[in-house]
Amino acid sequence: MASFSCIPSLFLQILLVLGIAIILKTQAQCVIQTLEATPVPSLPSTQVNVSWTCATNNSRFAINYQLTNGDQCGTQGSKTTAPGYFYNDRETYIGPGLYSYWTLLRLNPYSTYTVFAWSRDGEGHIIERSTSVTTAEAAPSGRPVIEYYNASKTQADFLWDEIQCGGRNGEITGYEHWLIDTTTGRTISEAVVTTMMFTDNIGITRSGLRITGLRCATQYTIHSAGKNAEGRGPSASLDFQTQSIAPSSVQNVQAEISTTGDKMTVTWMEPAAGCTVADTYEKTYKVTYEGNTKHQDGCQHFLTTHANEIDSISSLSYEFSVRPYYSYKITVKHTGGPLAEITQDSPELEPSSPPLNIRITGSTDTTRTIT
């Protein structure tokens, strides 16, 4: 009899537990009535606030979102679950009880998302609401693409492409290009950049940049960056060097003999405009001279002096000693340039010594022949 007396009380306890569960289940379910998603003001453009309304606060809600137009250029993504409470490893619940909003983080700027929010009704059916939101703009995170195409003495050409989808972060309002002298770090304001069309090495016509007003034999760095309403993005850069111009020969080479006849001064003018990588005006002179006596009575005497070469003379003149009655070939050479050559004779002077030997080689009653 004692065992049977426990049955009514056990039955009542089971009914009580079931009743409480039904009440709690009824209170815990709520159909979402409104759903809003807005970018968070005054915060990074990658955040969006999601808010909703429901008849009761004692509910749990799942939030999902999907990228539908990344960077406003058509990129799409898969549905992503917002971080929160996980249920069966696939449903993210936000709650229960006190939450009527949630902030989505680490979204892409200037991108459209569809936000989904759902709960279950009293019968366990999923009720879903959705809305679209576009995140705010941010300064570009991508860079243009620059490729070397060609360079001459005073201009350079480059293949160029705009920032690709995913790095614009807003409507691009323009691009800035600037040039820096790699050696000095100075920004070259006098250079002019214009857009051009070029054909690449496989025959495809592509957009490009042409820079004019450059100095020859100079190393430069070109920079290019996009900008939108939020600012300028990072720049792409490329180093290059313009071609050299070999200097011409020195000009107006002249030689002048001193009044004493024993000195010769060579003068010249700087070569025409040109430049090399070194871009120096160091002069290198090679002075050679050789002489021979005049022909007289069938006698010929030929003398050659040793060659002289004098380097690294920075002035525009040079003086050297000469022997009388010699013919000198003079060459003047600018560093990296061709030779300039002239010929100059030194004057005759009175003999500096008496004859070495005097002989009477013939005589008559009135004359004597002396050799």
Side-chain angles (χ1 to χ4, degrees):
M1 295 294 296
S3 61
F4 287 101
S5 63
C6 294
I7 293 177
S9 60
L10 179 61
F11 180 72
L12 291 175
Q13 290 178 12
I14 293 173
L15 291 178
L16 179 61
V17 170
L18 290 175
I20 293 173
I22 292 172
I23 293 173
L24 292 176
K25 179 179 180 182
T26 302
Q27 292 178 345
Q29 306 307 321
C30 172
V31 176
I32 294 176
Q33 296 175 335
T34 62
L35 176 66
E36 294 183 357
T38 56
V40 180
S42 304
L43 286 177
S45 58
T46 56
Q47 298 185 17
V48 167
N49 271 347
V50 181
S51 61
W52 57 90
T53 60
C54 188
T56 177
N57 289 330
N58 191 23
S59 299
R60 295 193 302 176
F61 307 89
I63 301 296
N64 302 93
Y65 57 95
Q66 182 176 11
L67 177 66
T68 55
N69 192 5
D71 212 13
Q72 301 306 306
C73 47
T75 302
Q76 295 185 353
S78 58
K79 184 179 287 188
T80 303
T81 301
Y85 294 93
F86 288 88
Y87 178 74
N88 292 337
D89 293 330
R90 64 184 181 87
E91 297 174 357
T92 299
Y93 288 98
I94 299 173
L98 300 179
Y99 293 90
S100 60
Y101 69 90
W102 191 256
T103 300
L104 303 179
L105 306 174
R106 295 183 293 276
L107 304 180
N108 297 331
Y110 194 53
S111 299
T112 300
Y113 290 85
T114 299
V115 179
F116 305 89
W118 57 267
S119 62
R120 296 181 184 274
D121 61 15
E123 298 179 358
H125 299 142
I126 294 177
I127 305 299
E128 185 178 71
R129 297 286 184 268
S130 64
T131 187
S132 294
V133 61
T134 299
T135 53
E137 294 188 17
S141 58
R143 295 175 170 83
V145 178
I146 305 177
E147 300 177 28
Y148 178 81
Y149 187 72
N150 183 48
S152 64
K153 302 175 184 66
T154 57
Q155 75 177 32
D157 297 330
F158 303 89
L159 299 176
W160 178 90
D161 288 314
E162 63 181 11
I163 298 174
Q164 301 301 302
C165 179
R168 300 167 187 168
N169 298 347
E171 183 179 354
I172 298 297
T173 58
Y175 288 90
E176 294 182 2
H177 316 291
W178 64 99
L179 196 66
I180 293 178
D181 187 312
T182 307
T183 303
T184 64
R186 183 177 69 91
T187 300
I188 310 302
S189 57
E190 60 269 24
V192 178
V193 182
T194 55
T195 57
M196 303 286 292
M197 299 300 295
F198 301 108
T199 302
D200 64 14
N201 54 7
I202 59 175
I204 298 176
T205 301
R206 295 174 55 183
S207 60
L209 303 174
R210 169 164 290 175
I211 307 178
T212 56
L214 306 180
R215 295 180 65 251
C216 57
T218 303
Q219 293 179 337
Y220 293 101
T221 302
I222 181 177
H223 292 265
S224 179
K227 60 181 180 180
N228 57 27
E230 297 300 314
R232 190 176 74 184
S235 66
S237 62
L238 183 67
D239 296 334
F240 69 98
Q241 179 176 303
T242 50
Q243 294 181 0
S244 303
I245 300 176
S248 63
S249 60
V250 294
Q251 304 177 68
N252 197 26
V253 180
Q254 297 182 3
E256 182 178 349
I257 301 296
S258 65
T259 55
T260 57
D262 60 347
K263 300 286 186 182
M264 183 181 296
T265 300
V266 181
T267 61
W268 58 92
M269 297 176 63
E270 291 186 352
C275 65
T276 63
V277 174
D279 198 18
T280 64
Y281 281 91
E282 180 185 5
K283 310 299 184 301
T284 300
Y285 306 103
K286 180 185 292 184
V287 180
T288 60
Y289 34 93
E290 59 186 11
N292 64 295
T293 60
K294 293 182 178 181
H295 294 229
Q296 184 176 354
D297 295 334
C299 175
Q300 181 178 3
H301 185 61
F302 183 81
L303 293 176
T304 301
T305 63
H306 69 281
N308 289 271
E309 181 177 353
I310 302 91
D311 294 330
S312 302
I313 300 176
S314 58
S315 63
L316 298 178
S317 64
Y318 183 71
E319 182 183 79
F320 56 93
S321 298
V322 295
R323 298 179 180 180
Y325 202 55
Y326 272 71
S327 178
Y328 290 90
K329 182 176 70 174
I330 305 156
T331 59
V332 182
K333 183 179 183 299
H334 177 274
T335 303
L339 293 171
E341 181 179 305
I342 63 170
T343 301
Q344 178 67 44
D345 294 336
S346 59
E348 298 183 39
L349 298 178
E350 293 182 357
S352 57
S353 61
L356 300 179
N357 189 17
I358 298 177
R359 292 179 301 160
I360 297 175
T361 56
S363 66
T364 64
D365 293 338
T366 60
T367 63
R368 295 290 187 272
T369 301
I370 300 174
T371 301

